[in-house]
Amino acid sequence: MILAFDTLLFLEKFILIVVVILAALGIALYTTFAERKVAGIIQDRRGPNRAGPFGLLQPLADGIKMIMKEEIIPLTSNKWLFILGPNLAMITAMMTSAVIPWGNKVELFGRVIDLQIADINIGVLYIFGVVSMGVYGIMIGGWASNNKFSLLAAIRGASQIISYELAMGLSLIALLMYTGSLSMKTIVEQQMSTGVWNFFVQPLGFLLFIVCAFAECNRTPFDLPEAENELNFGYHQEYSSMKLGFYLFAEYINMIISSAVMATLYFGGYDIPFVNEAALSASWGVNIVAVLGTLTLLAKIVFFLFVFMWVRWTIPRFRYDQLMDLGWKKMIPLALINMLITGAVILWLNK
Amino acid sequence: MSITEILFWFLTALALGSALMVVFSKNPVHSVLWLIAVFFAISGHYILLNAQFLAVVNLIVYAGAIMVLFLFVIMLMNLNAETEPRKNRWLMYAGWLSGFLLMLVIVAALKEAETRDQLALMKGGDIGLIKHLGRVLFSEYVLPFEISSVLFLSAMVGAVVIGKKD
């Protein structure tokens, strides 16, 4: 039995996957720290500052605490599904990273390596598919806990995510009408060649998308599945130790990935603003420009992460009927109007 | 065996095994989750046939939306083994009979189809790619496509009307 495949390609992709996942975990670790620091600054206090210089070792201390806690599986819960829930949340959070182009090509050891795990021609749809799977982590975990509050939170979360997925899809359709491609790489390259980021073409679409991204990540003001004053602790009430850690961590990874998606679709991805990459790489070499591009993408991601935190500590939580009202009666009609206008303008310009 | 063949057999085993688990699971929530696994396996088959769009849409629509609603309803109904009412024995016989008849119909329909001689196009053929599919849908099949979208719209209006009724 001969398995014919490109060993080097396999190795290259494997290393890329490991690097992306480790980087996502590392950034997520420090996003929890940044969140508490930003909260501290916004609320005019210091934030964590005891562990290490500037409190930099705080996430490490939190992580060790998480792992050391006792692992409790409630007797009346459904054991397999109870364990499956946080795993699913984590896996779906990670899977989206496969289609995001993290940078331009680099040349190493005589090979041209794409800094993207898979350039599939349905990249945007893939993201959409994985996002729609994300709801299972919450639903299964909440149901398997065998706790009324968890079940209520799971049902809230599921209906919220389904409702906002629609508006998200509609706002993306308007973008796709303009780009004419579903491949993330092509979308970035288009923005690089024209020099105009899609945000300036689709401002309303971006606004709708970012609101939906907040809802999909269960971030305030849309964090109703874990509304502690109504539901104790939400869908992860029965969870302890690292299983709880997975749920909390998945939220941060979701934030990072959705920031990366926003940066890629609307803000040029790894495009360095006001710089002609092709000319620069001729003089500086391909690798340096690729690294600079990746750093630019990271800077954009960090900016969006800051926006996530900023909003969290500024805007209070919606009431549930307000949430549904916003989703169905405001976001979806706006997205449809945006789609109609985009279509009309494209038709008019083509004539 | 090439990688494609290994994947094919793996996905086939996964699809059939999960489908059997859907039927044999005692817990309805488990059944729904196994059904989601079936959809994943079938999407894998679509990808082997180079029909990427169909694969992803299958996941988005069936696994991501419809099965969520199934799960929703089953979770809210709180079906436990203890609360299951005793069913009429004749109902069970009728179930067996109708299942057997359905199998008979499927066997009869597939016997003449001669699918064994037709090899599916693996990894070749690009009709399943979104570019070609979109062109065909909006030129050759534009009328059926639009009619089915009107059907969806009327179903949506119907659902809203039923939901409004007190």
Side-chain angles (χ1 to χ4, degrees):
Chain A
M1 189 165 74
I2 302 160
L3 294 177
F5 63 86
D6 193 343
T7 321
L8 277 174
L9 186 76
F10 177 75
L11 202 67
E12 165 192 317
K13 293 294 179 196
F14 183 74
I15 292 171
L16 195 63
I17 290 171
V18 170
V19 167
V20 166
I21 285 181
L22 286 183
L25 286 174
I27 297 174
L29 206 61
Y30 272 88
T31 313
T32 62
F33 173 69
E35 170 119 73
R36 297 170 67 181
K37 271 287 185 202
V38 169
I41 292 164
I42 287 176
Q43 297 169 350
D44 206 10
R45 56 187 175 82
R46 284 180 195 277
N49 64 350
R50 284 292 176 262
F54 308 107
L56 274 176
L57 297 178
Q58 186 67 40
L60 226 61
D62 285 346
I64 291 172
K65 188 196 82 175
M66 249 341 163
I67 295 170
M68 295 307 218
K69 291 269 181 184
E70 187 188 354
E71 192 97 22
I72 300 169
I73 298 179
L75 266 183
T76 51
S77 68
N78 191 322
K79 276 193 193 59
W80 285 105
L81 295 184
F82 191 74
I83 297 169
L84 186 68
N87 287 322
L88 268 182
M90 202 67 179
I91 291 170
T92 47
M94 292 285 195
M95 263 166 68
T96 327
S97 64
V99 291
I100 293 169
W102 297 101
N104 219 333
K105 295 176 177 63
V106 289
E107 282 172 17
L108 278 181
F109 313 117
R111 283 177 63 86
V112 178
I113 297 172
D114 258 326
L115 289 183
Q116 184 182 18
I117 295 166
D119 182 20
I120 49 178
N121 62 12
I122 45 164
V124 177
L125 281 179
Y126 171 88
I127 286 182
F128 208 65
V130 176
V131 165
S132 66
M133 295 297 127
V135 58
Y136 285 116
I138 294 179
M139 274 190 100
I140 291 172
W143 182 79
S145 303
N146 202 3
N147 175 322
K148 287 198 178 65
F149 288 116
S150 302
L151 181 65
L152 276 175
I155 284 167
R156 272 190 180 188
S159 44
Q160 169 184 328
I161 290 178
I162 292 180
S163 312
Y164 279 81
E165 240 168 47
L166 290 172
M168 189 184 228
L170 287 174
S171 68
L172 274 180
I173 286 176
L175 177 74
L176 296 178
M177 281 157 94
Y178 171 70
T179 60
S181 170
L182 284 163
S183 156
M184 305 284 273
K185 185 110 184 157
T186 316
I187 290 175
V188 172
E189 272 163 5
Q190 275 174 357
Q191 295 177 71
M192 276 170 94
S193 61
T194 55
V196 181
W197 289 351
N198 286 339
F199 168 70
F200 300 106
V201 185
Q202 284 284 329
L204 181 62
F206 172 70
L207 189 72
L208 293 169
F209 189 84
I210 194 171
V211 172
C212 293
F214 273 77
E216 299 285 327
C217 293
N218 289 325
R219 290 286 296 185
T220 329
F222 300 102
D223 63 341
L224 284 134
E226 39 194 296
E228 59 269 21
N229 50 358
E230 299 161 24
L231 293 168
N232 290 348
F233 205 35
Y235 57 91
H236 44 54
Q237 182 169 21
E238 300 285 350
Y239 283 91
S240 63
S241 185
M242 212 49 214
K243 291 204 287 300
L244 173 66
F246 266 27
Y247 268 129
L248 301 182
F249 230 60
E251 180 184 322
Y252 283 95
I253 291 178
N254 270 329
M255 265 166 69
I256 295 169
I257 301 290
S258 54
S259 301
V261 170
M262 281 188 282
T264 306
L265 290 180
Y266 289 98
F267 283 86
Y270 51 82
D271 175 33
I272 310 167
F274 311 116
V275 172
N276 186 353
E277 274 88 352
L280 198 67
S281 53
S283 59
W284 284 12
V286 184
N287 289 354
I288 295 173
V289 175
V291 169
L292 283 179
T294 307
L295 288 179
T296 318
L297 179 61
L298 279 181
K300 288 170 187 170
I301 291 173
V302 168
F303 171 72
F304 280 117
L305 285 177
F306 174 69
V307 173
F308 268 100
M309 291 164 195
W310 191 10
V311 170
R312 171 165 182 184
W313 298 107
T314 315
I315 300 177
R317 182 182 298 142
F318 283 121
R319 224 168 49 218
Y320 200 73
D321 60 318
Q322 290 172 330
L323 173 105
M324 283 294 155
D325 205 55
L326 179 72
W328 288 96
K329 293 185 188 159
K330 305 217 169 64
M331 305 277 286
I332 291 178
L334 266 180
L336 282 173
I337 290 168
N338 186 35
M339 203 171 95
L340 279 178
I341 293 173
T342 312
V345 170
I346 288 173
L347 271 183
W348 183 56
L349 286 183
N350 279 358
K351 258 181 193 169
Chain B
M1 270 209 296
S2 67
I3 287 186
T4 315
E5 274 177 68
I6 295 173
L7 281 175
F8 172 78
W9 287 113
F10 171 72
L11 288 171
T12 309
L14 186 68
L16 290 178
S18 310
L20 287 175
M21 287 305 289
V22 174
V23 182
F24 290 123
S25 292
K26 283 260 163 72
N27 190 331
V29 172
H30 290 185
S31 288
V32 170
L33 294 178
W34 282 115
L35 193 53
I36 294 166
V38 174
F39 286 132
F40 266 89
I42 291 174
S43 276
H45 279 299
Y46 286 146
I47 288 175
L48 284 185
L49 293 168
N50 216 16
Q52 300 169 351
F53 179 70
L54 201 56
V56 163
V57 165
N58 184 37
L59 284 187
I60 293 175
V61 174
Y62 283 95
I66 292 180
M67 292 327 284
V68 171
L69 295 180
F70 269 50
L71 207 56
F72 220 93
V73 172
I74 288 173
M75 281 180 179
L76 283 177
M77 287 206 295
N78 198 16
L79 292 171
N80 287 325
E82 300 92 55
T83 57
E84 201 177 352
R86 296 277 296 164
K87 289 193 186 75
N88 194 340
R89 197 190 298 159
W90 291 105
L91 213 60
M92 206 173 71
Y93 293 146
W96 275 102
L97 189 68
S98 53
F100 179 72
L101 287 176
L102 180 67
M103 198 181 80
L104 214 65
V105 169
I106 289 175
V107 168
L110 290 183
K111 206 179 61 157
E112 301 295 318
E114 290 178 17
T115 42
R116 209 180 296 172
D117 300 337
Q118 296 174 357
L119 277 175
L121 214 54
M122 292 292 221
K123 284 178 77 180
D126 41 12
I127 187 65
L129 299 184
I130 188 163
K131 202 183 286 175
H132 307 283
L133 204 64
R135 195 158 291 147
V136 173
L137 270 185
F138 283 101
S139 57
E140 211 173 319
Y141 297 103
V142 68
L143 190 65
F145 184 72
E146 292 299 330
I147 287 175
S148 63
S149 72
V150 170
L151 188 69
F152 273 117
L153 193 67
S154 56
M156 221 156 76
V157 171
V160 170
V161 168
I162 291 172
K164 284 263 178 195
K165 211 184 283 174
D166 287 318

